[in-house]
Amino acid sequence: MKNLFLTFKKYRYLLFQLVKKDIKLKYRSSYMGVLWTLLEPLLTMMVLVLVFSKLYHNTKDFPVYILTGRLLYSFFANTTRGALKSVRANASMIKKVYVPKYMYPFASVLSGYVQFLISLVVLAGVAVYCNIKPTWHLLEALVPLTVILVLTMGAGLWLSTLAVFFRDLEYLWGVALTLIMYACAIFYRVETVVGDNNRWLFRLNPLYSVIENFRDAVYGNAMNMPVMLYSVGFSVVIFLSGLVVFYKNQDKFILHL
Amino acid sequence: MSETVLKVENVSVKYRLTEQKVDDLKDYLIKLFKRELRYKEFLALDNVSFTLNKGDRLAIMGMNGAGKSTLLKVIAGVLKASEGTVTKRGKVVPLLELGAGFDMQYTGSENIYLYGAMLGYSKAFLDEKYAEIVEFAELGDFINVPLKNYSSGMKARLGFSIATIVEPDILILDEVLSVGDAKFRKKSEKKIMDMFDKGITVLFVSHNESQVRNLCTKGILLEHGKMTVSGTVDEVLEKYKTITG
């Protein structure tokens, strides 16, 4: 364990470099650069509002409802997809230079997180437009924003390990993500689907729990503590077990790449 | 008085070869149910041990497939030995696969920081050595051009300049580097010779007898993963000649 911290200290500059590379290269060749990070969620939100607002007779704050769910879900989806491929994508380096291998999934998740944080600017804009006033509950948003990072890191460690041994995991995970999306209640309200008494069904999905906490913070409602504790517990377990699985298998990676 | 810098103890590397490659879940499950998962074990290195003191220059000889590269990978830390241990002291610089961590979209100067970070250097250190690296690589204005526009010689020059910016305690060489054009080759050879003169420890893989005789003080011979000779360069070369015929 002590060794782990020492190598992390030595290679933290590499982590920074890998994250920087991911972000820099993503925007270098595109004409509007970082503007896409803001525009993309905004446009998808508009589509969803257009499609679903008539359907569910929603209120004026519906765009904020959609955007909070969508931003968090797409961070999770895009980043786990990237992390899944991260060890394989860097196979040529893993075979030639010694670097702590967890750097690759970590860097992949962190660069996604930076872009996600930038995209929150859109949410702020839309919230102002929909006349949602910030309260001190907004500070509580830091909790779900941290929990989702831990959860995504954990999932990324699991997926990147398994993907080394099973190439078809990429497709299976794509299917799983569709299921997770519908279980996140992004563009409908949970109570209209299962009724108020059965909300716990959705809350079993840790990502939905995170989204609910985040929405409460944005809307200025008090945080639901049991939901928060569940998502924290779930994420920490996934993260620690992911770390163990990754560590136990990392010496075998090179034989399978 | 001479201190041990590298100790390789009973190192074995075992590869598990599946008779048919199984790398997706579908195949794995099908084969598991049909009980067709069979593995063949293959020993790439079999119980290799040696010790190097400071200033020793070891020639590693053997035919293709004898396990030379596997041994270097284990010492460089890329591959983990199935059994046995490797104890290293000081900075190990493997001059293998120069520029393996380069990104083709990145410019030369961005790659200096990226590849440098990969070799474990800090930002402060790279800032300090940046000018020296650029000058040694002789890239001129190309340093601000993406690597995809470089010739292969330019890439190799940049890789060499970054990798040799530190003074290693242990240098790993796979064949003498023939990097770039005649002029740069002379320059890079001189740099390596200067390191040799400073008394660093060297691991050198080569098939070239005269180079080995000139450069090395000790030698080992690998045959099918086993170390069959360990001793002076002359002993190793003599045995090497008999097996190559």
Side-chain angles (χ1 to χ4, degrees):
Chain A
M1 217 40 193
K2 193 176 161 229
N3 230 330
L4 187 74
F5 286 114
L6 280 177
T7 51
F8 186 77
K9 208 176 153 208
K10 183 176 172 197
Y11 282 98
R12 66 182 172 200
Y13 179 55
L14 174 64
L15 187 62
F16 169 76
Q17 277 289 336
L18 289 173
V19 171
K20 194 169 117 183
K21 186 184 86 168
D22 261 13
I23 296 172
K24 235 176 161 176
L25 290 181
K26 183 161 179 208
Y27 296 117
R28 177 167 293 174
S29 47
S30 83
Y31 180 62
M32 287 198 289
V34 87
L35 211 61
W36 274 120
T37 309
L38 306 178
L39 220 52
E40 197 266 345
L42 194 64
L43 293 174
T44 347
M45 178 208 73
M46 285 175 176
V47 173
L48 291 174
V49 169
L50 208 70
V51 173
F52 290 104
S53 59
K54 282 281 172 288
L55 205 61
Y56 293 116
H57 304 289
N58 274 294
T59 44
K60 193 173 172 280
D61 61 2
F62 194 47
V64 174
Y65 185 86
I66 287 187
L67 202 56
T68 43
R70 212 203 98 87
L71 283 174
L72 266 61
Y73 168 78
S74 58
F75 161 67
F76 180 79
N78 295 339
T79 311
T80 49
R81 247 189 237 119
L84 184 146
K85 285 185 239 165
S86 62
V87 170
R88 267 192 183 281
N90 290 296
S92 63
M93 273 179 262
I94 288 173
K95 283 186 199 167
K96 287 162 191 161
V97 195
Y98 170 76
V99 162
K101 292 176 195 60
Y102 60 81
M103 286 290 164
Y104 298 113
F106 271 28
S108 158
V109 171
L110 282 178
S111 70
Y113 195 62
V114 172
Q115 292 169 53
F116 163 67
L117 291 181
I118 295 172
S119 69
L120 288 180
V121 173
V122 179
L123 179 64
V126 173
V128 169
Y129 174 79
C130 292
N131 219 1
I132 289 175
K133 302 237 163 40
T135 63
W136 65 270
H137 281 301
L138 191 59
L139 285 178
E140 290 170 353
L142 289 176
V143 177
L145 289 181
T146 311
V147 173
I148 199 173
L149 179 63
V150 176
L151 180 68
T152 311
M153 283 266 192
L157 286 168
W158 269 100
L159 291 166
S160 59
T161 307
L162 291 172
V164 173
F165 304 102
F166 305 114
R167 278 169 202 244
D168 48 0
L169 188 69
E170 200 182 324
Y171 309 110
L172 285 174
W173 185 241
V175 177
L177 279 174
T178 315
L179 179 67
I180 293 173
M181 183 186 81
Y182 286 108
C184 277
I186 296 172
F187 41 76
Y188 51 82
R189 295 188 190 263
V190 172
E191 51 282 15
T192 63
V193 179
V194 289
D196 240 349
N197 289 331
N198 292 319
R199 287 188 89 126
W200 60 271
L201 263 173
F202 273 87
R203 285 175 181 154
L204 283 180
N205 171 9
L207 195 57
Y208 174 73
S209 297
V210 173
I211 291 175
E212 187 181 327
N213 283 151
F214 186 65
R215 276 180 181 149
D216 279 343
V218 171
Y219 279 104
N221 303 329
M223 182 144 65
N224 186 326
M225 284 298 166
V227 169
M228 187 272 281
L229 289 175
Y230 171 73
S231 68
V232 169
F234 196 100
S235 305
V236 168
V237 168
I238 289 285
F239 180 75
L240 291 179
S241 60
L243 213 53
V244 169
V245 167
F246 192 89
Y247 254 76
K248 286 244 155 100
N249 287 291
Q250 61 172 354
D251 292 331
K252 282 188 253 164
F253 286 176
I254 191 167
L255 306 175
H256 291 265
L257 289 171
Chain B
M1 53 148 263
S2 61
E3 45 177 334
T4 305
V5 192
L6 178 72
K7 200 167 183 182
V8 175
E9 285 169 293
N10 310 98
V11 164
S12 298
V13 173
K14 212 180 281 172
Y15 285 114
R16 215 160 72 150
L17 303 172
T18 34
E19 284 171 23
Q20 293 144 305
K21 204 168 165 55
V22 177
D23 58 5
D24 60 31
L25 199 58
K26 186 192 75 195
D27 281 356
Y28 181 80
L29 289 177
I30 292 172
K31 295 246 157 59
L32 191 70
F33 285 126
K34 293 166 94 181
R35 298 179 189 281
E36 275 180 8
L37 277 180
R38 275 192 298 264
Y39 299 103
K40 257 194 287 189
E41 290 203 331
F42 169 73
L43 270 179
L45 280 181
D46 190 356
N47 204 11
V48 174
S49 305
F50 60 87
T51 307
L52 291 183
N53 293 326
K54 191 172 186 322
D56 281 347
R57 298 197 289 268
L58 180 80
I60 301 170
M61 304 198 73
M63 316 278 278
N64 288 333
K68 303 186 297 285
S69 302
T70 306
L71 180 60
L72 292 189
K73 278 185 181 167
V74 171
I75 294 169
V78 178
L79 190 68
K80 189 160 166 139
S82 320
E83 278 158 52
T85 53
V86 176
T87 321
K88 298 173 274 193
R89 278 185 53 185
K91 175 94 192 146
V92 184
V93 171
L95 289 189
L96 318 159
E97 317 262 2
L98 291 171
F102 281 165
D103 189 289
M104 292 302 136
Q105 311 288 321
Y106 248 26
T107 67
S109 70
E110 287 167 324
N111 266 304
I112 290 179
Y113 286 93
L114 178 66
Y115 189 47
M118 222 163 251
L119 297 174
Y121 308 156
S122 68
K123 174 155 179 11
F125 180 79
L126 288 167
D127 282 338
E128 186 193 317
K129 297 283 186 180
Y130 178 82
E132 199 181 318
I133 295 171
V134 175
E135 197 202 297
F136 194 86
E138 299 176 20
L139 287 168
D141 290 338
F142 267 92
I143 201 71
N144 293 317
V145 169
L147 236 66
K148 58 185 173 193
N149 299 330
Y150 278 33
S151 70
S152 48
M154 290 161 95
K155 274 180 247 171
R157 262 151 49 191
L158 187 61
F160 181 87
S161 307
I162 301 169
T164 55
I165 202 68
V166 282
E167 302 242 306
D169 297 292
I170 304 173
L171 184 70
I172 302 179
L173 286 170
D174 199 348
E175 292 289 340
V176 155
L177 289 153
S178 42
V179 176
D181 51 23
K183 188 172 151 241
F184 191 80
R185 196 172 315 165
K186 238 185 218 162
K187 206 165 99 171
S188 56
E189 275 171 19
K190 186 175 174 300
K191 191 159 181 178
I192 290 177
M193 289 308 153
D194 286 347
M195 288 183 186
F196 279 26
D197 291 342
K198 285 187 184 134
I200 62 166
T201 308
V202 181
L203 290 145
F204 182 45
V205 167
S206 179
H207 295 283
N208 185 321
E209 286 174 31
S210 65
Q211 272 183 355
V212 166
R213 210 179 290 270
N214 285 333
L215 294 176
C216 297
T217 56
K218 278 181 166 180
I220 58 170
L221 181 70
L222 293 176
E223 283 178 81
H224 305 294
K226 287 198 179 65
M227 190 172 78
T228 49
V229 187
S230 168
T232 65
V233 172
D234 288 329
E235 285 166 10
V236 171
L237 282 176
E238 202 174 310
K239 182 77 198 293
Y240 183 68
K241 265 183 222 161
T242 64
I243 63 165
T244 50

